[in-house]
Amino acid sequence: MLVWILFLLCQVGAPALAQDLCQRDAPNGYKVRISLKTALGEDAYEWNQSEMFFFQATMAFAMRRHFQMETYNVDNIILCVQTSRVSFWFVVTSPDNTTMLIPKADVEKAVRMSRHRINNAFLLSDRTLEFLGIYPTLAAPVNPDTPPWLIVFGVVIGAVCAGIIALLVSSLLQKRRKEKGMTEDGQDEEDMQVKGVENGINLDGTYNRGFTDDDRFTKL
Amino acid sequence: MPEEGMEDNKEGEERPKWNNKAEYLLTCIGFAVGLGNVWRFPYLCQIYGGGAFLIPYLIALVFQGLPLLYLELAIGQRLRMGSIGVWNSISPYLGGVGVASMLVSFCVSLFYNTIVAWVLWYLFNSFQEPLPWSQCPLNHNNTGYVEECVESTPVNYFWYRQTLNITPNMETSGSLQWWLVVSLATAWSIVYICFVRGIKTIGKAVYFTATFPYLVLTIFLVRALTLPGSSEGLIYLFTPDWEILKNPQVWLDAATQIFFSLSVAFGGLISFSSYNSQKNNCEKDAVLVGVINSATSIYASIPIFAILGFKAHTNYVTCLNGNILALTNEFDISDMNITVENYEQWFDSLNGTHPSRVSDLKLKTCDLQTFLDQSASGTGLAFIVFTEAVISMPGSQVWAVLFFIMLFSLGLSSMFGNLEGILTPLHDLKLVPKWMPNELFTAIICLLLFLMALIFCLGSGNYWLEIFNSYVGSVPFLIIAFFEIIAVAYIYGIGRFSDDLEFMTGHRPNIFWKVCWLVISPLMLFVVLVAYVAVQAQTPPTYAAWNPDYVNFPNTEVLPYPDWVFAICVLLSSVPVISIPLVAIYRLICCMSGRHSKDSLHNNPNPYANEDYVVELLL
């Protein structure tokens, strides 16, 4: 009889005790906020008791992973203050003593360690599955050895320099060819002037050699 | 008026010619269409009542822009010399106008290519994922983001800190920013490679630089029209506010915008047209270039404002979403129950029931109109506003690369004209030693300009660039253009000019052109010049400094120019134009002190040349 009464008391008292442990603004508890529609849009699943159970299981897994010796169970994760947001509070009790709460710092370490796994379990991200008070670590910036802009610059300046050199060399060659052609043409030009053909037009009369522009041929 | 035959004798080698008419037209259009068409005109259109601004703009184009353009192209084509030679020919006392043109082109080349260097820097940085201006960098111990970035925006931080590394005021010069020096060297190398063989290489380069911007603008137009919020931007831009036409400031800004947009008084247009054959219809060319320039401005403002509308819409939605999240979290409302559409009703009901809790949240007021009003012009538009818009567009890298290549080609084609306005007069003045090939001379000038432009790569470089932009790139041009038109219309004589035009185009200019050159354009120029100087004199000389320690950071701190800087500003405005009276006085003294060679044409007397036997080719 006594055992039966004790059993009844336990059935009534345990949840009541659990209620006392987990409450809004519990000193060793964390508030969790989940934004399903923001994360998944049309594919958002419904948040129901099964999902709550899944959360308890995931948290137990995270605690086990962190404290490798201790065997946490679903019952050690107590949830309360559920809203339609979806948000709720949770506390973690020790597996050895269900009245003792695991301190906040230890819970935080466990969550940080398995954050990625917890997120993936619910198809959410750091932003849509928030543990208020546990800030996500900022992604380390990717620092490539050579900044990408330097590579683009190198390509551009290389092409431009190659172009400049190519153009300068080709102008130089052109000029050399023209000079060679000029010394041969020069004689022809004088002959043509003597014959009275200038710029392709035949002039009447005799050309007076005294007025040729032969400064070009005298090396001063 | 020197005859044609003597001119060819004077030059040892033949004057270079354009390969075909298209190259010449594209070069002139490229010179006229520059960065200002993209980032100044849309801004003016927006602040001056949208569609209504087109009226003073088009009036200024017809009565001031086109006559000046026609005048410059005509005298260059007829006299076949650069700006100094042309004005020396018209009247030796006015040679100073050419010298002033050259000096102003020199100063403008300095800072204009620095802007091109900034565009190149952004272009190089656009090949990264994610774009460097889309997020704040972490601070030293990786605990959070850099404070300066968090207080302003990542885009502002990238521009002011990672690009310019700007100092808090003008007195602190800071040091040379090596990445800017490298970008500047690239910009000058690219300009040099296009100038290596003079107009032969420029003519090839403009096929790309003058046409590519139109392709990019069209792509942006199509893309922008599919973005949400673009229609709001366009409506905002083009809604005409007819009342604004009563404000004289609008007319002044329209006249100055047309004037600076067409790039007259640089000397570059004179040089370009001097490489034409004389029998070319420069009247059609002038009208074509002027109309295409204005049409480009109007066409460019459509995608720009569609994208700005999209950006305003994105900012508005982000602001609202921030408020929605705050309300949802505070009242534990189901996720996504409050949306952008029903925000107002939710807000009213929640404010009615729990006003204290709502006010504690400190929600921001989100107004689309405020976001649309955040307009900018100049470098602010390109490097801050537009880059922010690009981040929100899917495939940001592609849009960023396209945008900056477009700005680069716009700037490069304008640089051709700027540099041509320096090189051709120097060639015509025969300051180039005979032994020096053209390529070397161009290289020396480019190197000199690059070294002098290093001042804009200092920490305070942006402040100096703004000074150059406001003081060199404004009043001197108005003065030079005024003297140009007076010189041709009154000193050279409208009759002689009409004869030359008849020789070139085959018909005399009609009454419209004559009235413009004689009366309307000089009058407009004079009024604009006086009004501009009056407005500038009234505005206190201040500048906006980026100072992270400022109380109201991220707003810029408005500081007055130090005295020595202001003295430099005055010098920059006056030294180029002081050459006009100086040369006139010099010539007067020479003339009065006695005759020295009466014929300036015969510089190299040929011992065999007997003046009695020179053949004069009559026209």
Side-chain angles (χ1 to χ4, degrees):
Chain A
M1 180 69 176
L2 214 64
V3 177
W4 194 74
I5 294 171
L6 218 63
F7 176 69
L8 267 176
L9 275 172
C10 278
Q11 287 289 9
V12 173
L17 201 64
Q19 259 331 82
D20 286 336
L21 288 172
C22 175
Q23 42 184 310
R24 183 191 291 274
D25 296 324
N28 279 322
Y30 277 105
K31 182 170 180 182
V32 176
R33 196 187 286 146
I34 294 181
S35 315
L36 282 172
K37 290 215 189 93
T38 312
L40 301 168
E42 300 262 305
D43 302 325
Y45 48 81
E46 194 199 322
W47 190 263
N48 48 27
Q49 286 302 106
S50 313
E51 304 290 341
M52 294 293 275
F53 178 78
F54 190 20
F55 182 80
Q56 287 173 304
T58 319
M59 282 309 303
F61 158 75
M63 296 302 291
R64 282 205 193 194
R65 201 160 165 240
H66 183 66
F67 298 100
Q68 273 144 357
M69 289 299 119
E70 328 223 344
T71 47
Y72 285 87
N73 243 316
V74 177
D75 300 325
N76 296 121
I77 316 290
I78 306 171
L79 311 172
C80 55
V81 196
Q82 267 195 75
T83 65
S84 56
R85 167 65 181 82
V86 172
S87 72
F88 50 86
W89 284 82
F90 77 94
V91 291
V92 183
T93 57
S94 164
D96 307 318
N97 181 357
T98 47
T99 52
M100 201 180 79
L101 290 180
I102 305 291
K104 215 168 169 170
D106 292 331
V107 176
E108 179 175 341
K109 283 192 212 140
V111 167
R112 273 194 196 279
M113 190 177 172
S114 309
R115 188 65 188 264
H116 188 63
R117 298 290 298 271
I118 301 174
N119 285 350
N120 277 351
F122 291 95
L123 307 174
L124 298 172
S125 69
D126 279 347
R127 207 171 52 91
T128 40
L129 170 58
E130 298 169 78
F131 288 84
L132 296 188
I134 304 180
Y135 297 109
T137 45
L138 301 164
V142 179
N143 268 334
D145 291 326
T146 35
W149 75 266
L150 214 51
I151 300 174
V152 181
F153 158 72
V155 167
V156 169
I157 200 83
V160 169
C161 286
I164 290 178
I165 293 174
L167 280 172
L168 286 177
V169 163
S170 73
S171 331
L172 212 64
L173 289 175
Q174 251 183 25
K175 252 192 214 134
R176 290 244 177 89
R177 241 179 274 141
K178 219 198 279 183
E179 269 169 33
K180 240 193 266 173
M182 273 261 285
T183 48
E184 291 163 14
D185 277 343
Q187 304 288 355
D188 296 337
E189 220 178 282
E190 220 201 338
D191 286 337
M192 281 173 70
Q193 278 185 342
V194 168
K195 288 199 196 107
V197 178
E198 193 168 314
N199 285 345
I201 308 167
N202 276 321
L203 295 172
D204 290 338
T206 335
Y207 193 84
N208 191 338
R209 275 203 211 232
F211 294 92
T212 50
D213 184 25
D214 53 7
D215 261 355
R216 277 181 287 144
F217 304 113
T218 54
K219 288 189 173 57
L220 292 168
Chain B
M1 180 55 176
E3 281 86 2
E4 196 181 343
M6 283 201 186
E7 287 215 46
D8 285 337
N9 268 351
K10 183 177 80 169
E11 299 169 24
E13 49 181 63
E14 217 185 78
R15 195 166 185 79
K17 277 203 310 260
W18 293 106
N19 256 350
N20 54 46
K21 186 79 182 285
E23 284 185 13
Y24 163 64
L25 279 178
L26 281 177
T27 311
C28 287
I29 291 172
F31 182 31
V33 172
L35 296 168
N37 294 63
V38 164
W39 71 31
R40 180 88 181 133
F41 177 80
Y43 167 75
L44 286 176
C45 222
Q46 180 205 338
I47 62 172
Y48 286 135
F53 181 70
L54 289 177
I55 295 183
Y57 184 71
L58 291 173
I59 290 179
L61 171 70
V62 165
F63 289 106
Q64 184 192 328
L66 290 181
L68 270 171
L69 199 53
Y70 187 12
L71 188 124
E72 284 216 349
L73 291 182
I75 55 176
Q77 192 174 292
R78 184 73 185 99
L79 299 173
R80 313 204 81 211
M81 280 187 279
S83 58
I84 293 187
V86 149
W87 298 113
N88 267 337
S89 302
I90 287 189
S91 161
Y93 296 107
L94 282 175
V97 176
V99 175
S101 266
M102 188 180 76
L103 287 176
V104 163
S105 283
F106 190 87
C107 293
V108 170
S109 302
L110 281 178
F111 75 81
Y112 206 86
N113 220 23
T114 311
I115 300 180
V116 174
W118 290 340
V119 171
L120 274 180
W121 161 256
Y122 267 80
L123 176 63
F124 294 154
N125 275 294
S126 303
F127 288 96
Q128 297 179 43
E129 165 68 28
L131 289 171
W133 56 80
S134 60
Q135 57 195 34
C136 282
L138 296 179
N139 59 15
H140 285 300
N141 38 14
N142 280 11
T143 50
Y145 297 114
V146 173
E147 199 189 309
E148 188 183 348
C149 186
V150 170
E151 283 178 27
S152 57
T153 62
V155 174
N156 274 327
Y157 180 75
F158 185 76
W159 168 238
Y160 284 110
R161 190 54 51 212
Q162 288 176 308
T163 303
L164 297 175
N165 200 10
I166 205 163
T167 53
N169 53 41
M170 274 193 92
E171 285 93 349
T172 16
S173 296
S175 54
L176 274 180
Q177 314 304 325
W178 67 269
W179 56 91
L180 287 182
V181 174
V182 150
S183 306
L184 191 65
T186 317
W188 277 111
S189 312
I190 296 180
V191 168
Y192 177 63
I193 194 180
C194 294
F195 256 90
V196 151
R197 287 217 199 126
I199 62 170
K200 296 272 173 263
T201 36
I202 293 177
K204 300 286 178 295
V206 285
Y207 280 119
F208 173 75
T209 59
T211 53
F212 189 70
Y214 292 98
L215 178 66
V216 173
L217 282 174
T218 312
I219 295 176
F220 266 107
L221 181 66
V222 171
R223 171 74 255 218
L225 290 177
T226 60
L227 291 170
S230 57
S231 44
E232 275 117 17
L234 285 176
I235 293 171
Y236 185 66
L237 168 70
F238 284 119
T239 313
D241 174 17
W242 305 105
E243 291 299 310
I244 211 121
L245 292 179
K246 295 186 190 149
N247 179 5
Q249 180 76 20
V250 178
W251 295 85
L252 174 65
D253 274 337
T256 46
Q257 170 62 15
I258 261 292
F259 181 75
F260 298 134
S261 177
L262 284 173
S263 310
V264 291
F266 275 78
L269 287 171
I270 299 181
S271 304
F272 286 142
S273 61
S274 71
Y275 301 123
N276 269 335
S277 72
Q278 294 210 348
K279 295 276 193 183
N280 173 47
N281 191 347
C282 49
E283 179 181 8
K284 258 198 251 170
D285 297 341
V287 173
L288 197 65
V289 170
V291 166
I292 288 184
N293 178 53
S294 294
T296 308
S297 291
I298 299 173
Y299 185 60
S301 50
I302 303 177
I304 296 280
F305 264 86
I307 291 180
L308 289 183
F310 161 71
K311 173 182 168 294
H313 177 88
T314 311
N315 284 353
Y316 173 68
V317 167
T318 311
C319 175
L320 269 187
N321 277 340
N323 285 355
I324 289 174
L325 195 65
L327 282 176
T328 312
N329 287 346
E330 172 67 19
F331 292 100
D332 283 321
I333 305 165
S334 194
D335 188 30
M336 295 287 244
N337 260 11
I338 312 182
T339 61
V340 175
E341 287 84 16
N342 58 25
Y343 171 76
E344 285 294 327
Q345 298 140 300
W346 271 102
F347 179 74
D348 291 331
S349 75
L350 285 173
N351 207 12
T353 46
H354 305 95
S356 55
R357 282 170 76 185
V358 169
S359 65
D360 281 341
L361 285 175
K362 294 198 182 15
L363 298 174
K364 293 188 254 184
T365 35
C366 301
D367 179 25
L368 185 61
Q369 210 45 35
T370 328
F371 288 117
L372 279 172
D373 283 334
Q374 284 170 358
S375 59
S377 74
T379 50
L381 177 71
F383 300 125
I384 298 179
V385 172
F386 211 81
T387 43
E388 193 179 327
V390 153
I391 304 172
S392 325
M393 293 162 72
S396 330
Q397 281 78 11
V398 172
W399 305 112
V401 167
L402 273 180
F403 179 65
F404 289 118
I405 295 186
M406 173 186 82
L407 286 187
F408 175 68
S409 35
L410 283 171
L412 187 67
S413 55
S414 298
M415 272 308 294
F416 293 155
N418 288 338
L419 204 56
E420 191 66 28
I422 308 172
L423 290 175
T424 314
L426 288 176
H427 275 294
D428 293 334
L429 270 181
K430 303 232 183 299
L431 283 176
V432 188
K434 284 260 183 284
W435 53 268
M436 194 186 283
N438 277 344
E439 289 88 349
L440 184 59
F441 180 65
T442 313
I444 291 177
I445 296 285
C446 285
L447 186 66
L448 181 70
L449 284 165
F450 165 68
L451 290 174
M452 286 179 72
L454 285 177
I455 188 181
F456 300 119
C457 298
L458 292 171
S460 53
N462 190 35
Y463 302 133
W464 285 107
L465 197 133
E466 286 298 316
I467 286 183
F468 267 73
N469 193 14
S470 328
Y471 290 95
V472 173
S474 58
V475 173
F477 284 122
L478 290 168
I479 298 179
I480 292 172
F482 179 71
F483 275 100
E484 280 188 3
I485 210 164
I486 295 292
V488 171
Y490 293 101
I491 300 181
Y492 187 68
I494 206 83
R496 274 164 81 187
F497 192 53
S498 303
D499 292 336
D500 292 331
L501 289 175
E502 191 180 2
F503 169 67
M504 289 195 292
T505 64
H507 60 265
R508 296 185 77 80
N510 62 33
I511 192 76
F512 166 72
W513 296 115
K514 287 203 186 131
V515 168
C516 279
W517 286 324
L518 281 171
V519 177
I520 302 183
S521 301
L523 197 62
M524 272 183 89
L525 268 175
F526 186 70
V527 168
V528 166
L529 174 63
V530 166
Y532 192 87
V533 171
V535 167
Q536 288 291 90
Q538 280 175 0
T539 50
T542 57
Y543 66 102
W546 181 263
N547 184 6
D549 298 324
Y550 181 49
V551 167
N552 288 344
F553 188 76
N555 291 328
T556 47
E557 189 182 0
V558 176
L559 294 171
Y561 282 128
D563 288 330
W564 60 277
V565 169
F566 192 64
I568 294 181
C569 298
V570 172
L571 274 177
L572 280 176
S573 290
S574 46
V575 162
V577 289
I578 217 127
S579 52
I580 301 180
L582 273 181
V583 168
I585 295 174
Y586 169 72
R587 288 283 157 88
L588 210 64
I589 295 175
C590 278
C591 196
M592 291 201 306
S593 69
R595 321 232 131 192
H596 79 147
S597 74
K598 73 172 154 199
D599 250 358
S600 57
L601 296 169
H602 290 263
N603 284 329
N604 299 322
N606 183 344
Y608 289 95
N610 187 336
E611 280 177 20
D612 294 337
Y613 290 89
V614 169
V615 176
E616 283 192 4
L617 289 173
L618 295 169
L619 295 166

